[in-house]
Amino acid sequence: MKIGIAADHGGFALKQIIQPYLVSLAHEIVDFGAYEHNDLDDYPDFVAPLAKAVSAKEIDRGIAVCGSGVGAAIVANKVKGVRASLITDYFSAHQGVEDDDMNLLCLGGRITGPSVAKELVRSFLDAKFSGGEKYVRRLNKIIALESC
Ligand code: RB5
């Protein structure tokens, strides 16, 4: 898959670990920055371009990392067509895709350690939307909200 990744200073160290892990899984990576650690950078500057690329289907899925993962999720969900969530557990990492068609995973670089983060990323990327009738119905209700 073509995977986009983005992080601010709070997520930079974890992004540096996730990126080679994605390469080891044979994914194609698009890096939306930050490209260096800068305590003064702002997560919307990296997460918004990532989310727009997901929305435009230029990439298949996105991974955004900030300190808590909260800000990244808030920004990403502002972009039409993006379904982002802060994930800290294995179950939600795959169930969020299977039931809710989550297309952007948010992680907290100050919350989730490297080994757990790798498992969450793998679980997210291995999962597929089930396409079940009730899930499509719910998704359509979410899509309707995007034009409010
Ligand atoms: C940055 O210090 C921090 O506020 C940010 O990375 C993130 O945690 C926001 O949700």
Side-chain angles (χ1 to χ4, degrees), residues 21-74:
Y21 178 63
L22 291 170
V23 172
S24 79
L25 295 177
H27 292 293
E28 185 185 343
I29 314 305
V30 182
D31 185 358
F32 289 83
Y35 305 113
E36 60 186 6
H37 185 101
N38 173 2
D39 271 333
L40 299 178
D41 67 15
D42 301 324
Y43 57 83
D45 294 335
F46 311 108
V47 177
L50 167 71
K52 287 177 186 173
V54 170
S55 174
K57 300 196 188 306
E58 293 162 6
I59 54 177
D60 298 307
R61 291 190 195 172
I63 299 171
V65 195
C66 65
S68 63
V70 172
I74 291 171

Side-chain angles (χ1 to χ4, degrees), residues 60-101:
D60 298 307
R61 291 190 195 172
I63 299 171
V65 195
C66 65
S68 63
V70 172
I74 291 171
V75 172
N77 279 314
K78 294 287 180 193
V79 178
K80 194 172 178 175
V82 171
R83 293 171 294 278
S85 188
L86 166 59
I87 296 294
T88 57
D89 69 279
Y90 185 85
F91 173 77
S92 302
H94 64 86
Q95 192 256 8
V97 177
E98 291 157 358
D99 291 8
D100 311 314
D101 206 14

Side-chain angles (χ1 to χ4, degrees), residues 97-99 101 128-137 139:
V97 177
E98 291 157 358
D99 291 8
D101 206 14
K128 291 179 180 52
F129 180 53
S130 72
E133 188 187 338
K134 64 185 176 187
Y135 301 119
V136 171
R137 184 178 71 237
L139 203 52

